[in-house]
Amino acid sequence: MSAPTQRPKVTAHEARQTAEAARERDWHKPSFAKELFLGRFRLDLVHPHPLPAEEDARRGEAFLAALRAFCETRIDGARIEREARIPDETLTGLKELGALGMKIDRRYGGLGLTQLYYNRALALVGSASPAVGALLSAHQSIGVPQPLKMFGTQEQKDAFLPRLARTDISAFLLTEPDVGSDPARLATTAVPDGDAYVLDGVKLWTTNGVVADLLVVMARVPASEERAAEGHRGGITAFVVEADSPGITVEHRNAFMGLRGLENGVTRLHSVRVPAANRIGPEGAGLKIALTTLNTGRLSLPAVCAGAGKWCLRIAREWSGVREQWGGPVGRHEAVGTKISFIAATAFALEAVVDLASQMADEDRNDIRIEAALAKLYGSEMAWLIADELVQIRGGRGYETADSLAARGERAVPAEQLLRDLRINRIFEGSTEIMHLLIAREAVDAHLSVAGDLIDPGKSLSDKAKAGVRAGGFYARWLPGLVTGPGQLPRSYGEFGELAGHLRYIERTSRKLARSTFYAMSRWQGRMELKQAFLGRIVDIGAELFAMSAACVRAELLRTTGDHGREAYQLADAFCHQARLRIEELFGRLWSNTDDLDRRVVDGVLAGRYTWLEQGIVDPGDDGPWIADATRGPSTGEDVHRRVP
């Protein structure tokens, strides 16, 4: 039995250094969202709305038609919810359809769909079963195919991509029982041994891990001076691992509030030998590979959220038209009508955000790392609100399960299930709180690039002097541009008709957002990173501005193509007015808030000064540790891994 895994002891500074080292520091392409945070509204980067090539659209639509037929006849969402597993015949059918290879190039046996049509496929599948949508997304967005596509050798692509396109399901293994968004503390090790590495560790929440054939495993290669001299620096590294390798045990299949068919488990690796040829990229590049993969991989989650928004709109429309109270359909009462308007307008915006970001990814003319992160953040938060409003509109029937409704002879609408299923999206692939920090770091990157040394206590006076010169030149050019702009000219953006006022608002507000960020950095300097609540509001304002931009551009596209243009303008107008109210509230809370008071209360809670408030309830009990001990030896229990024909 191997020695227990030793978890690295990491300081806050070291953790930040690890995260910073994994960032893509350079901006080789323009970024609409980055410019938005800097006070520059670059409408030319998103308008006219990019469109797919004719052949890509033809193949994409053909697959969507086949997938729709499959979803309607061979995916039983109620059964998956009831049995808490995806039937083998469903997985087999997805393989036969080619759904495992939607994003894999046709030269390897995949379908070679664009990001746009891949995301539309996920939205369609997710409306039939969110668990199936999650399986396909985890397999292709963060599983083995995407990192191989971006960083794999030709030999690795030839060996694995044909399998992944048709037969093999993949999973991504990064999280550990004591490591979530702080990878500097990663404990799983990969010790070099000749022409192989020996992996030891425990991975938690391995989506698809229970049924996977191939794994992407992140493990820490020990650093040594001898190997460094040979060009191997060690550090967090990515590996492709065969799921049936000796020493791999799926010890537990996790159960959750929602996504009950999710094939998610706890995987232990005990002295697992992995050929060096299976290493993706150089040693130490694993975290950068993971984050780069997520730049586009994150778009799959808001795609499912956009599909959920459409589903909620349809149920809200049908229910509100037939349910009568107080002499008329409930949808005609203003209290319910405002909820329906919110659902419709936001569903339109969510689809606009996903389609725009997806097409930008396909064109590859722009750097979309911020756009993808904003789409994930905004989609997960707004879809949750949409589902919550649908449950409220449905009332008691929204809270009742679909099976119970059917048993009483009513339509089996799983509104409460959707609420449970969507809740994880605010945690998946970067929680809302982590997304706020990630986006905020990118949003202030230009400032830190020129003035970071000024606020870094570790820098010398000479470094600070040089940074002062750089900062002076940058701000002398940048700040004057934040005073006035086309948003103050009444005829600007006139081609957008009645939506022109919203575009002028976006331009003005973008400059206001940049001024607020600059003022905050001047005020707090090195303490800015501690102002997480403030940064979260800055990011939320940027997310609303991005969504408004996407909604207006999409409405104009639909108008020019003659496809529901008038209705699209109405939805975009309603959404933008709703978003502006949220933005103004966020601006108000930038400087007038309870952040300092909240911090004092938190100190009191953690110090135990309010335990008297917890009296009067049943003791929650003490059934075990908060976090499982991942350093214990290999399980002697049964391997719960199930193979799929």
Side-chain angles (χ1 to χ4, degrees), residues 16-331:
R16 286 194 296 272
Q17 281 187 318
T18 298
E20 188 66 19
R23 282 184 62 246
E24 290 183 77
R25 300 189 181 188
D26 298 324
W27 296 84
H28 300 294
K29 301 173 183 176
S31 166
F32 174 80
K34 179 175 181 286
E35 294 293 303
L36 201 62
F37 280 107
L38 286 172
R40 299 190 284 249
F41 180 42
R42 290 287 308 278
L43 183 62
D44 61 294
L45 294 178
V46 296
H47 174 70
H49 194 296
L51 293 171
E54 185 176 334
E55 175 59 18
D56 290 334
R58 186 192 64 76
R59 290 192 294 108
E61 294 294 344
F63 176 72
L64 287 180
L67 182 63
R68 175 179 293 278
F70 180 88
C71 290
E72 292 174 346
T73 59
R74 299 184 62 182
I75 294 182
D76 186 344
R79 177 186 173 187
I80 293 172
E81 171 73 2
R82 186 167 55 251
E83 298 180 357
R85 68 189 297 269
I86 301 172
D88 290 348
E89 57 267 28
T90 299
L91 294 177
T92 301
L94 289 169
K95 294 177 181 180
E96 295 170 347
L97 189 64
L100 295 187
M102 286 188 286
K103 284 192 72 179
I104 297 176
D105 195 278
R106 286 185 288 173
R107 66 184 289 194
Y108 302 110
L111 299 179
L113 297 185
T114 62
Q115 185 73 38
L116 177 70
Y117 278 99
Y118 168 67
N119 283 339
R120 288 181 177 177
L122 290 179
L124 177 60
V125 172
S127 68
S129 168
V132 176
L135 180 138
L136 292 175
S137 171
H139 165 67
Q140 291 171 88
S141 297
I142 60 174
V144 178
Q146 190 66 17
L148 278 192
K149 176 182 178 181
M150 301 180 72
F151 300 99
T153 65
Q154 190 59 54
E155 291 76 14
Q156 290 171 336
K157 294 176 182 178
D158 291 339
F160 297 118
L161 290 181
R163 294 168 53 185
L164 293 161
R166 290 292 177 181
T167 59
D168 288 16
I169 296 173
S170 69
F172 176 73
L173 279 61
L174 171 63
T175 304
E176 298 178 359
D178 198 32
V179 177
S181 298
D182 182 10
R185 301 175 63 245
L186 197 77
T188 298
T189 57
V191 178
D193 184 18
D195 61 352
Y197 291 83
V198 179
L199 275 59
D200 282 279
V202 176
K203 296 295 185 178
L204 178 63
W205 297 323
T206 59
T207 298
N208 290 0
V210 182
V211 296
D213 305 283
L214 287 169
L215 316 170
V216 175
V217 180
M218 297 293 169
R220 185 184 300 279
V221 178
S224 70
E225 294 183 4
E226 179 181 355
R227 297 190 72 253
E230 299 174 354
H232 301 291
R233 62 175 185 169
I236 299 174
T237 305
F239 299 90
V240 178
V241 182
E242 300 279 358
D244 61 355
S245 299
I248 292 183
T249 306
V250 180
E251 297 186 334
H252 180 69
R253 186 182 188 278
N254 300 318
F256 301 99
M257 172 196 299
L259 290 183
R260 290 182 175 171
L262 196 68
E263 302 291 355
N264 181 293
V266 177
T267 302
R268 180 176 294 276
L269 301 101
H270 175 59
S271 299
V272 179
R273 289 187 64 83
V274 179
N278 285 23
R279 188 187 69 219
I280 307 176
E283 289 182 4
L287 191 54
K288 179 168 287 189
I289 288 172
L291 294 179
T292 305
T293 298
L294 282 172
N295 281 345
T296 54
R298 281 197 175 99
L299 289 176
S300 62
L301 192 150
V304 173
C305 291
K310 290 171 172 285
W311 188 91
C312 289
L313 176 60
R314 179 165 183 172
I315 296 301
R317 173 180 60 82
E318 294 177 349
W319 168 250
S320 299
V322 299
R323 174 63 169 170
E324 293 196 2
Q325 290 283 288
W326 302 101
V330 293

